Structure formats: C-alpha cells, structure tokens
C-alpha cells in the first residue's frame, strides 16, 4: 500500500480463498451461489479500503460500502453473459497502475484500477475464458484467400503513421508472441495488421486491438470486442493519388456513458475504423473474412435461384426530379449479382436490387448491401460497401407517395446500432439542432412508379421476421416468387376504404381477410386484434405489431410499420381514468431511434388485459416459468412502526404475500400466464413492484383517484445486471436496481426488509446467472471452435474459398415432397436419410407444391 494507491484508489489483490470463506460465513447462502467460486478478489485503496471487487466463476461482483459508517452496502452484479467488450491496460513507466474496463449491456462501463503488484494479464486470461468461451467465439473457417501476411515490407512509412494506416503482418509470428500471455490456448490468429506500435488482430474468438502507449511503450491496452457485438461493417476501396488507403469500419454497440454535446455521437464507442496501407492488405479478402464471421461460412455452391425479379427491365429514372432526389428504382437482381459477385459469398444470392442516381442497394439472402460510389459524379475509384446482416434489422416500414411535392415512396429500417449524433448549431444564437439517427435508422427513397412498396414490404417480412422458435429464414430458402408479384395499384386504397373513418374496434376476422387480399400478411400470419383511432389504426398478429399511419393534410401518404413481436423488449397497458376516458397501449422495441409505439384505445372497445396477455404469450411464452427460489418460506408480514408505515406509503415498499397476489393476478386483473407465478412483491403507497418467474411488473396508479393504472412488463430474459443495497442508518431502507437495455428499474424497500432484499438477490441471481437467455440476434452469430484456418500467404491474392472434397460413395435414391408455396425452379434444403448431410436441391419442372420427386445423392 502506498500514497499513490490511496490517491488513485488502486485496488490490491487479496487471497480469494480466504475472502470467499469470510463471505460465506457472513452471508450463508445469500451473496454467493452454492456452486459459485471467487477466483480473484481485490480491495480498494491499495488494500486499506472498504470496497471489494470479485471475479467469480459466474459474474463480476462489486461490494460498495456507502455513507460515513459504511452500514449500507451495495452489491452490484454484472453477469459475464452481459459483457459485450472488455479491455485491460498494463502498468506504464510513470503511470504505475493497471486498469480493467468492462462494457456490459444496460449497466454501461465498469472501470477498476489495480496497483502495480497485480498481474493484470492473468486476470485478462481468466476474463477471456469466462466471457468468450462457449458464448461469443466465432468459428474458424477452412477458407483461403485472407492471407497470413508473410512477406512484404514490415516497416511503416511516415505517411502511414500520420494517416494511421495498417499493413498486414504474419499471423503465425504474432500468435506466437501473444501466447500464452494474452490469447487463450485454443485461440488462433486469423488476420493481423500493424501500424507503428499498434495492432489490430482478428482471432477465432474476438477482435483484439492492441494500443501501445507512452514514450517507452510499456503501457499497453488490450481491447477485446466480441464477435456478436458487431452489428455491421463496411469497406471502402482506395481512391486516387491523394487518397491511397482503403478502409474497414466495424459497427458495434459498446455500452458507454451517453454524451449530449454538439458535434459528438451519443455513444462514442460505436465503431472502429481501420485504414489499410495501399498494396499491403487485400480489402476484399478482409471483407470476405468478416462476412464469414458474421454471416456464416461460405461453404456451399452458388445458388441457382435467380430471384423472383430476375429479368426485370430497367428503363432508367425517367424523371429529372427523381434523379435530383436520388430516388431508387428497381433493377434486375441477376445483373446486380453478376456486377457485384466479388463482394458476395459464393452461397449468397441477390434477390432484390435498387439503383439511385449512382448508388445501389442489394437485398441478398444474408444481408443488405449499400453501394456508395464516391467522387465527382461517382466516377472515382473510391467505393464504399456497407453490409447490414438481416439479424441487425429489428423493425421496418414502407411509406407510399404523398401529394404535391412529396412524390417519392420510402422504406425505413431500424437497426440494432446506436449511431445517434448531435449536430453543431450553425450560429451561436441558434437553438441546438435536434439529434439525427445516422445509421440507427435508415431511410431510403424510392421512385413511386418504379418500386412496388408492397413487394418490398412482403420481402422484408420474410427476411426480418422470425418464426419456428425465433429462427430467421435460412439463406438457403429463397423468398418465394409468389410473394414478389406486383400488387394491384388499388391494394392499399381498397384496404383503407374498407377500414373507414369511424374511431372504433375493427373486426379482426374480417380484417385478416382484407389484409391477406392486400398481400400485407404472411401465409401463416393472422390478425388477432385490430383498432382504429382517427385516421390511424393498429393491428396485432401472431408475428408482429402492425401500425398503419395516415400522414399529411390529404392523407395520401401512408406508412405501414411492422414491429416483429420478437423485437419487443418492454410493453405496458394503461386503463382509462376518471377524466381521461381512453386506454393506452405502449410498446418499446429493440432499437436506438424512436423505438416506441403508442396507441390510445377507446374505453369499452378493447380488452387491454387480453392484449397484454397476447403480447406476453409471444414475448415471454417460452421463458422458464419455474421458481428461482429453492426453499421458499411462508410469507410473514413485516413488522413496522407508525412512522415507517407513513414513509412507506409515500415511497418505500413493504412486501406482500406472493401466493395471494399470484391468485389475484390470474383473474383480477388477468396479467399472469398459466405457468407464471409471483416470486416477490412489494407495495409502496398505491404502486407495486412485482417479480414473477418470467418478468418484472411495475404497477403505477395515476391521478387523484388512482383509477388510471399503468401495468408495465420487463421480461427477465432481457434484464442485463442488477444491484442491491442493504439498509443503512435512520430511515434508509434496502434498495434494488435492475438494469435493462431500455430503462433502469429502481425500487426502495421500507426498513426492516433485510431478509427480503436477499430474497430479491436470490431470484435475480438464479435467473441471470444460471440459465441466461441470449438475445436472438446473438444466437445467429456462429459460435464454436473449429480446425485452424489455412490461408494463402500473399495478402493481395483475390479471395478463393477452398472447396472440401468428399470421398465417393454409392448414391442413394430417395423421395422428396415439395413444401407448400414452393414452385418448380426454386431450391429447397433436404437432409440425406443416411449421411444426414444437408442438400440443396432444385425442384424439377412440372412438380407442383405437395408433389413428390426422386433424388439420387
């Protein structure tokens, strides 16, 4: 311990075994789970402080003593499954403390400083093993053409240093230098780049940025970004004489403190830009490598599916206004695929394509690609290719053309990527300009007579919306040509004429028929609830929340917005009040820009609890409804004095009988599912905080009479971290805080709730630590450890995947039945009855849906 450690609050390492023993003696079966072990333990102020940091086998656990006496203690839990990135910084020559930073969903950035005696690389190796292995590691692909970086000039020129240009280096040499101090034993370096003293390393498990700092270079930061954290990427080719470097940009969401300053993004940790030295890295090989990691391996033969719009004749924009507005028109996807085959995987096919003044948009079986030709009139060498995997798109909408000067139709895509930016004001006296979404929400203009927005709507429904256990449509299953047949010009008008203008509930059965006639729903999708208010209407199907928004003075412009039920993260229903006679439905979906849908419902025209139960069925219906309490005790009312009761009515909560409340919430009102029960419940005045086996429910009574009640649901599977505080002196009672991706939930408990706060800790620990549920989009990032990749040694070689040969076996003949909705010429995926190998087969001509044909393989 030294003065530097005290001033800098540097933590010193203590004996983890001894400290775990003390913790279990003080909090038997409370703080730590029976099978949980403390691996590293640290004490603040160089070992003389009162705060502790623990790295267990399941979480980062922080003990924070608060107040003068330290009686009130906070315990913050950060599950390893919530970690999106982390960094470790070694000691420097003058700056002798090391540092650990953890970027976790909901909770933000957690930073811990260590003194010079802590082996920070040992902690780094442990943290890598518990966070990455089995959860966030990308597969190693046996594909050539990425290059191992051997050969070439390894020095970096002065212009490359000034421009921070990276060059490819030998991956094997770098791997031998990083093992075993930094990399895990089974981790392989697959691509490596160096600029001056810094390096960017793509391994089989992560993206690793090595930042050498200070004059001596002794202080080094190792930043790890998990592959599932990357939401998209772009490459930019080299330009002309003055712009000779190519670029790679990775887009990700690292939770950080929000910034609202002008001229800055809301989140500074949203992208990593890498400039490559001209001639020292094949940017297209790098693009192929990133594609394999995020989109899946490129192991199949090229698809024979030509796209439903193949052969579409491009007649040009035909309008000077469309050309000036850069409105997109539909073009032949087969021609676009041939033009941009060098950017696609071999197994990837273009299904829809659009062209603006000079740029293009490609809808492929795996992603959306934006082609941005730069330079004067787009004739320069520099081209940017932006790739957005389908899993990154959370919600979408299409808008019809309006009246007067608004003659273009539009498409909007909400992305799971925080790219909100606060522009600078033009003049000091001007008010601050509003934030802009940038790539958090993409808006694309279409020529109304060149693009059928209902075709785009049906296509996006197939690619974005999940089915069959929250799985996305496989890229081996092309979108049916039947869905992309141009709609009747009056399809939208006829639907709105049928809906009418009266503000009332709409018959969902009749609405279901009309929506299918208009081609707005999928074949297996059906309307369950339908409501109309003014010109707008809202519909709940078994797959999405569908919002029809009539815009503008004339109402000619209409927006058709689809929120997949899998994208819903929070929802609430509010009953009517004494003066406010309308009920309300609110839904928050996954996204970072305008991600809330609100709809007023006429009293007596809607059953808000039936709507609530319907949403709950599709959002948390498959969640574990078993109790998290191993030994639930019989409920005993807390004993409190008169003053505590008065203060409890105002703010602090008392526990209520969970068994009684479970019975009540099954009927009056009907909030709970059949397999859902209340684990803990607290009432503060008129409001309630309830933890069930599937979610947290916050009940907020509003107004003077309390007749208007808001019931808000937060699924436990999307809660990311939590903190409890024990009670302190005077009237300071216990407190619980739950971190979510949207908003934090905080509830203060009344004095005398010591055992109840540990009950809450047990529930949340078991739900978040023992059976954590990954986000659907993360499950679609390919995980696992495979054989070492074999890349060609020359960086500039074009990408050429290695095709795996199979030994010859006698073919087997078996029969295949054509699924419904599949026509001749389309490809289907079939499992071989003997080898279990997945085969891609083209349906022969003359075989109808439901028909049978023979296959030899």
């Amino acid at each position: 311990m030294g003065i530097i450690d005290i001033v800098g609050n540097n933590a010193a390492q203590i004996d983890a075994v001894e400290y775990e023993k003390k913790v279990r003696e003080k909090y038997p079966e409370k703080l730590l789970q029976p099978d949980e072990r403390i691996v590293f333990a640290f004490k603040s102020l160089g070992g003389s402080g009162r705060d502790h940091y623990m790295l267990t086998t399941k979480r980062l656990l922080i003990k924070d003593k608060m107040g003068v006496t330290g009686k009130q203690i906070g315990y913050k839990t950060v599950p390893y499954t919530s970690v999106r990135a982390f960094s470790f910084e070694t000691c420097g020559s003058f700056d002798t403390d090391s540092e650990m930073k953890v970027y976790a969903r909901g909770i933000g950035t957690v930073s811990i400083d260590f003194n010079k005696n802590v082996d920070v690389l040992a902690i780094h190796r442990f943290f890598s093993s518990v966070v990455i292995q089995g959860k966030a590691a990308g597969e190693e692909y046996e594909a050539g053409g990425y290059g191992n970086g051997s050969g070439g000039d390894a020095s970096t020129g002065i212009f490359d240093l000034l421009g921070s240009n990276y060059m490819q280096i030998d991956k094997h040499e770098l791997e031998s230098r990083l093992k075993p101090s930094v990399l895990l034993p089974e981790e392989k370096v697959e691509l490596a780049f160096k600029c001056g003293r810094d390096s960017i390393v793509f391994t089989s498990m992560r993206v690793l940025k090595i930042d050498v700092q200070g004059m001596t270079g002794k202080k080094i930061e190792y930043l790890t970004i998990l592959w599932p954290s990357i939401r998209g990427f772009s490459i930019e080719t080299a330009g002309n004489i003055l712009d000779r470097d190519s670029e790679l940009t990775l887009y990700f969401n690292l939770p950080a403190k929000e910034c609202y300053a002008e001229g800055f993004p809301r989140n500074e940790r949203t992208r990593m830009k890498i400039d490559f030295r001209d001639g020292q890295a094949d940017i297209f090989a790098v693009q192929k490598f990133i594609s394999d990691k995020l989109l899946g391996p490129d192991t199949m033969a090229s698809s024979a599916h030509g796209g439903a719009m193949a052969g579409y004749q491009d007649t040009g924009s035909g309008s000077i206004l469309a050309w000036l507005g850069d409105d997109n028109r539909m073009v032949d996807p087969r021609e676009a695929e041939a033009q941009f085959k060098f950017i696609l995987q071999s197994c990837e096919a273009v299904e829809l394509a659009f062209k603006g003044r000079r740029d293009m948009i490609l809808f492929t079986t795996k992603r959306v690609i934006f082609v941005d030709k730069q330079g004067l009139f787009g004739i320069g060498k520099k081209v940017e290719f932006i790739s957005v995997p389908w899993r990154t798109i959370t919600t979408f909408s299409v808008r019809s053309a309006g009246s007067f000067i608004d003659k273009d139709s539009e498409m909007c895509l909400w992305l799971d990527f925080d790219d909100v930016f606060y522009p600078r004001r033009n003049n000091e006296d001007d008010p601050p300009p509003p934030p802009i979404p940038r790539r958090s929400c993409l808006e694309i203009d279409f020529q109304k007579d060149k693009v059928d927005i209902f075709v785009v709507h049906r296509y996006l429904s197939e690619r974005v919306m999940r089915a069959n256990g929250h799985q996305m449509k496989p890229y081996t299953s092309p979108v049916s040509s039947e869905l992309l047949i141009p709609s009747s010009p009056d399809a939208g008008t006829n639907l709105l004429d049928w809906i009418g203008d009266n503000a009332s509930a709409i018959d969902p059965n009749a609405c279901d028929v009309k929506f299918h006639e208009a081609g707005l729903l999928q074949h297996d999708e059906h309307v369950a609830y339908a409501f109309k208010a003014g010109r707008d209407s809202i519909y709940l199907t078994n797959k999405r929340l569908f919002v029809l928004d009539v815009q503008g003075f004339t109402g000619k412009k209409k927006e058709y917005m689809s929120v997949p039920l899998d994208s819903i993260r929070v929802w609430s229903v509010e009953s009517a009040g004494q003066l406010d006679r309308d009920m309300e439905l609110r839904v928050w979906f996954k996204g970072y820009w305008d991600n809330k849908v609100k709809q007023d419902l006429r009293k007596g025209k809607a059953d808000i609890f039936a709507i609530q139960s319907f949403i709950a069925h599709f959002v948390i219906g498959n969640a574990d409804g078993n109790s998290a309490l191993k030994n639930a005790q019989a409920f005993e009312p807390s004993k409190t004095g008169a003053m505590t009761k008065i203060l409890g009515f105002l703010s602090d909560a008392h526990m209520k009988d969970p068994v009684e409340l479970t019975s009540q919430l099954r009927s009056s009102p009907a909030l709970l599912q059949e397999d859902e029960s209340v684990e803990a419940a607290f009432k503060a005045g008129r409001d309630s905080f309830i933890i069930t086996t599937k979610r947290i429910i916050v009940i907020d009574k509003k107004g003077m009479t309390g007749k208007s009640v808001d019931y808000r649901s937060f699924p436990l599977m999307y809660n990311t971290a939590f903190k409890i505080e024990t009670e302190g002196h005077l009237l300071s009672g216990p407190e619980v805080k739950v971190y979510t991706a949207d908003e934090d939930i905080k509830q203060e408990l009344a004095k005398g709730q010591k055992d109840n706060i540990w009950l809450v800790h047990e529930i949340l620990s078991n739900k978040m630590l023992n059976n954590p549920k990954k986000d659907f989009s993360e499950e679609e990032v390919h995980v696992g450890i495979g054989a070492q990749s074999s890349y060609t040694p020359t960086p500039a070689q074009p990408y050429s995947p290695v095709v795996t040969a199979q030994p010859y076996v006698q073919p087997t003949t078996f029969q295949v039945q054509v699924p419904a909705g599949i026509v001749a010429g389309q490809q289907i995926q079939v499992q071989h009855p003997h080898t279990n190998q997945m085969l891609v087969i083209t349906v022969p001509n003359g075989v109808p849906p439901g028909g049978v044909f023979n296959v030899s393989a």
Side-chain angles (χ1 to χ4, degrees), residues 485-560:
I485 297 174
S487 306
S488 166
D490 300 325
T493 303
N494 294 338
L495 177 64
L496 290 175
D497 290 342
W498 174 81
I499 292 174
D501 295 327
N502 56 321
S504 61
I506 310 171
D507 180 9
N509 295 323
C511 188
D512 185 77
V513 173
K514 291 295 182 179
F515 268 61
H516 276 101
E517 289 177 355
L520 292 175
L521 300 183
Q522 294 179 301
H523 293 305
D524 57 346
E525 185 179 6
H526 302 285
V527 176
Y529 295 94
F531 306 96
K532 188 173 189 301
R535 300 188 303 177
D536 305 331
S537 51
I538 189 168
Y539 310 85
L540 268 170
T541 79
N542 57 324
K543 290 190 175 185
R544 72 181 107 188
L545 174 67
F546 192 96
V547 181
L548 202 163
D549 181 14
V550 180
Q551 304 173 355
F553 181 76
T554 63
K556 188 175 180 180
K557 192 174 192 69
K558 306 166 190 71
E559 180 177 21
Y560 305 84

Side-chain angles (χ1 to χ4, degrees), residues 594-641:
D594 197 18
N595 64 329
K596 176 182 174 182
V597 176
K598 176 183 174 182
Q599 180 64 54
D600 290 332
L601 305 174
R602 180 69 60 85
K603 183 180 180 181
K605 298 295 184 180
D607 184 347
I608 60 171
F609 297 109
I611 296 173
Q612 186 281 146
S613 297
F614 181 84
I615 296 175
H617 171 75
F618 288 99
V619 177
I620 60 174
N622 293 328
D624 182 13
N626 295 319
S627 174
L629 300 173
K630 293 185 177 180
N631 300 304
Q633 302 294 322
F635 170 72
E636 294 184 7
S638 56
K639 298 179 181 180
T640 56

Side-chain angles (χ1 to χ4, degrees), residues 169-286:
I169 58 176
D170 191 297
K171 64 178 184 180
H172 302 295
E173 179 183 350
L174 183 61
E175 181 179 318
S176 64
R177 293 172 60 186
L178 293 178
K179 281 188 175 180
S181 58
V182 177
L183 301 182
L184 295 172
E186 57 271 51
E187 189 173 7
K188 303 297 181 183
V189 173
E190 298 186 320
L191 280 179
F193 303 93
K194 184 177 178 62
C195 176
R197 301 185 300 178
D198 303 334
S199 301
I200 299 287
V201 186
F202 297 111
T203 83
S204 56
M205 297 184 175
R206 67 182 114 187
V207 177
L208 179 65
K209 182 178 181 180
I210 304 175
D211 181 14
V212 182
Q213 304 172 6
M215 294 192 63
T216 63
K218 187 178 179 182
K219 194 173 192 68
I220 305 174
E221 181 189 23
Y222 300 92
L223 171 64
T224 289
I225 301 175
L226 308 186
W227 282 114
S229 300
I230 300 175
R231 318 311 293 165
F233 62 97
S234 69
I235 63 167
E236 192 174 277
T237 60
N240 294 313
I241 299 174
L242 297 178
D243 188 4
R244 65 193 187 103
D245 58 322
S246 54
E247 298 172 0
L248 167 69
T249 303
L250 301 177
Y251 301 100
F252 42 72
N253 286 326
L254 300 194
K257 186 177 180 180
E258 292 187 352
C259 173
Y260 301 97
E262 295 179 21
F264 291 91
R266 183 169 64 185
N267 186 344
E268 63 179 354
R269 290 279 190 172
T270 59
R271 64 186 68 195
M272 178 187 293
K273 184 178 178 181
I274 307 166
D275 293 338
F276 294 114
R277 181 177 173 183
D278 186 28
Q280 296 298 319
D282 183 351
I283 190 64
F284 292 107
V286 174

